[in-house]
Amino acid sequence: GQAALQDIVNGLPRSLIGQFTLRQIVIDPPGLYSDPLRWDQAGAQFRLRLQPFALEVAQADVALGGDEGLTLSGRVRTPDGGWEVALDARAGRLGRDRILALWPPGWRPGLRAWLETNLLEGALRGLAASLRLSEGQRPQFAVTSRFEGTSLRPLPSHPPIEQASGLLSWDEAGLAVSLDAGTLWPAQGGALRLDGSALVIPPAGADAGAPPPARLHLRAEGAIEAALSVLFEQMVAPGDSQGGKR
């Protein structure tokens, strides 16, 4: 990489502009991940100011492996003795396994556990995320993304929604998933098209160890027998001897 010293006063630089490339990166913060993160390559363009401290990342490109990667930008600064962090991220494509690998197990563990159990396969495309941190303030974040080729189990008693595509949004108000297309195969009655359906996980329980509650708003097209089968599966509790499909 290369760096240029700037704003020299009395022979000492007050800022630095740099451009660096790193390869075969291992990320292993103590206590954050059970297994280290391993990335193929990362390159960054940044500006560092020393007085007051401020780090501005114009762009950082991270090659995660295969066709998966992240583009990051943001800043860290210390106004009035405190600190502020602003981070923005974009990704062309992230698969299910990569999402779970990047997600620290200790952050929002209930929601992470729910996704690990119920998101069976799929990928996010056109992801945009932002994170804002200020000393003494509640973190603010927002994520939006398209998804495709997804297999998702909306409720424990239901079969998965297959070949799902649509829009995902996640912020302090909760996680919302709206379907442009998706098919569910209940125990009886054949396929149900769920185009226009929505899944909502409210923030309550997202920080707890138990999976957060989920609400499924169904908009179904198919046989009445199939729709009744879905309703029956939702009403019958797991372990009920009359059972539906498990």
Side-chain angles (χ1 to χ4, degrees), residues 21-23 42 50 57 61 66 80 94-95 111 113 116 118 134 164-165 192 209 218 231 234 241 243:
T21 299
L22 303 175
R23 294 179 175 83
L50 301 178
V57 179
D61 296 306
D80 302 323
L94 288 179
L111 183 54
E116 186 172 17
N118 296 290
S134 295
S165 62
L192 280 176
L218 281 176
L231 293 175
Q234 184 171 354
S241 60

Side-chain angles (χ1 to χ4, degrees), residues 22 30 32 65 79-80 82 94 98 112 127 139 154 177 214 227 238:
L22 303 175
L32 192 60
D80 302 323
L94 288 179
R98 184 71 65 183
R112 187 187 188 281
L127 179 143
V177 179

